[in-house]
Amino acid sequence: MSAAADRPLARKLFEPASIEEQAPAAKVLTYALLLLWALVVLVPLYWVLITSFKGPGEVDNGPFYIPFVDFTPSLAAWDFMLLQNNTLGPYLNSVVVALVSTALAVLIGSLAAYALVRIRFQVKLAAVGVFLLLLVAVIVAVATFGVKWELAVGVAVVLFVIALWTLIGRTKLAVGNNDIEFWIISNRIMPPIVAVLPIYVMFQQLKLLDTQVALIATYTAVNLPIVVWLTRDFFAGIPIDLEESAELDGASKFRVFFTIALPLVRSGLVATFLLVLILAWNEYLLALFLSNAKAQTMPVLVSAQNTTRGPQWWNMSVLIVVMIAPVVLISSILQKHIARGLLVGAVKG
């Protein structure tokens, strides 16, 4: 009889038979926790899905759990939201705004992150102070004195260039890469509600309210800090010898970035792209202020189902199912890249 068979029952339950296996008790606990977590994740999705096939009577007199057993499914909500209501317009707005803003954020953010990793910056504090002073002057001139924003910005640019060639060049105090990185991420830490009113006034003056351009520009700026913060570690994990060899062969910084750096961190960029896409797809506060009818997005349309007669849960559920379907599909397709991207930059050397 083997030594494993002679072990006491307690040791059989709590000690693994080999290093490649879990102990029976640990295995049962693991599967129980996974099952519990699966229920936590899947039950809300199931409830939203079956609610989309209910009507006011089933929702108000419920709960009913199982179609064809507790209640008779109906396509009335789907017919009303997809065929009779203007759902296609907000859906296309969400697709265009989310995809374009995410692509711009990933492109600009990855360029900024790569520059912060490979180039040492020394930004003069005097230049920052002059820039902020001129920015405040432009805002006051446009909002208070009615000066055209094109003229105000043009004068500010000229004054800033003059300051660069005269006053700023003589100062020594400067900020480095770490300070720039902290400033970038601090922009994301700030609650969006703090900046939404100035953003609204700015686009109102530019006559861009209720346009996709306003939403794309705002979403790109809001999500840039996340892209920079995530992709910085991806680029830092690339051996610098590869880039130096390419530069010795005559490659420019841009060519090194697009032909060497980006392909090496493509999995990380895919994970970042999906994260930013989800943030842009689900964004509500900025879309509520900056859009009305023409550029309305899906989160705003979902919230509009809370009418004076109360929440229209059946209509809302249809919109939620339509919203989450493409995200789930994209996540399933890119699952391999996402899992690999989360590990990019985690192990260096």
Side-chain angles (χ1 to χ4, degrees):
M1 186 177 296
S2 64
D6 294 336
R7 292 186 305 167
L9 179 61
R11 294 187 61 184
K12 289 182 180 179
L13 291 176
F14 295 99
E15 292 184 5
S18 66
I19 60 175
E20 299 178 354
E21 299 179 1
Q22 278 186 307
K27 186 180 295 185
V28 171
L29 179 61
T30 300
Y31 281 102
L33 292 176
L34 290 174
L35 178 62
L36 178 62
W37 180 247
L39 291 175
V40 171
V41 174
L42 296 178
V43 168
L45 298 179
Y46 171 76
W47 192 252
V48 169
L49 180 62
I50 65 169
T51 302
S52 67
F53 294 100
K54 295 179 181 179
E58 289 81 6
V59 172
D60 295 336
N61 300 323
F64 300 110
Y65 301 95
I66 305 175
F68 299 104
V69 177
D70 291 336
F71 68 96
T72 302
S74 171
L75 294 175
W78 287 86
D79 176 72
F80 176 75
M81 294 309 301
L82 299 184
L83 300 180
Q84 302 180 35
N85 198 35
N86 182 25
T87 302
L88 181 60
Y91 194 83
L92 291 178
N93 286 333
S94 290
V95 171
V96 172
V97 170
L99 287 177
V100 175
S101 65
T102 300
L104 288 175
V106 171
L107 176 61
I108 300 172
S110 59
L111 281 168
Y114 180 78
L116 288 172
V117 170
R118 293 292 184 247
I119 304 173
R120 307 312 301 175
F121 291 95
Q122 290 293 324
V123 181
K124 298 293 182 66
L125 285 176
V128 177
V130 171
F131 176 81
L132 294 177
L133 181 62
L134 292 173
L135 179 62
V136 173
V138 169
I139 294 174
V140 172
V142 173
T144 305
F145 299 103
V147 179
K148 292 185 177 181
W149 69 268
E150 298 92 342
L151 177 61
V153 171
V155 173
V157 171
V158 172
L159 292 176
F160 184 74
V161 172
I162 294 174
L164 283 178
W165 287 99
T166 56
L167 175 65
I168 296 175
R170 300 177 183 178
T171 60
K172 294 183 179 179
L173 293 178
V175 295
N177 290 44
N178 292 334
D179 302 307
I180 297 173
E181 291 169 8
F182 177 78
W183 176 79
I184 290 175
I185 196 60
S186 67
N187 285 275
R188 185 62 188 184
I189 296 173
M190 180 182 66
I193 191 64
V194 176
V196 70
L197 185 58
I199 293 173
Y200 176 87
V201 174
M202 179 183 67
F203 284 116
Q204 185 182 48
Q205 294 293 325
L206 296 175
K207 306 266 193 271
L208 289 176
L209 283 179
D210 199 20
T211 63
Q212 293 180 353
V213 175
L215 292 176
I216 290 171
T218 305
Y219 287 5
T220 301
V222 168
N223 291 321
L224 267 176
I226 294 179
V227 177
V228 174
W229 191 259
L230 292 176
T231 55
R232 182 195 177 282
D233 288 339
F234 301 155
F235 291 120
I238 300 176
I240 196 173
D241 297 341
L242 296 176
E243 301 178 11
E244 290 178 344
S245 299
E247 290 179 1
L248 288 175
D249 292 336
S252 64
K253 280 287 184 183
F254 279 99
R255 185 173 181 182
V256 170
F257 173 77
F258 285 106
T259 61
I260 296 178
L262 280 186
L264 290 176
V265 299
R266 60 180 178 273
S267 296
L269 289 179
V270 169
T272 303
F273 183 91
L274 182 60
L275 174 61
V276 176
L277 179 65
I278 293 173
L279 292 175
W281 184 262
N282 296 330
E283 205 287 320
Y284 170 73
L285 179 64
L286 295 171
L288 179 64
F289 278 84
L290 300 179
S291 65
N292 185 13
K294 295 180 181 179
Q296 186 184 59
T297 57
M298 289 297 291
V300 179
L301 182 61
V302 171
S303 68
Q305 305 312 307
N306 188 6
T307 63
T308 55
R309 294 178 296 175
Q312 309 294 301
W313 295 113
W314 44 97
N315 295 337
M316 195 178 298
S317 297
V318 172
L319 296 177
I320 292 173
V321 171
V322 172
M323 275 190 64
I324 65 177
V327 177
V328 173
L329 179 62
I330 294 174
S331 301
S332 301
I333 296 174
L334 302 179
Q335 180 181 4
K336 183 183 298 184
H337 291 282
I338 295 170
R340 190 183 307 161
L342 294 175
L343 299 177
V344 174
V347 180
K348 299 179 182 178

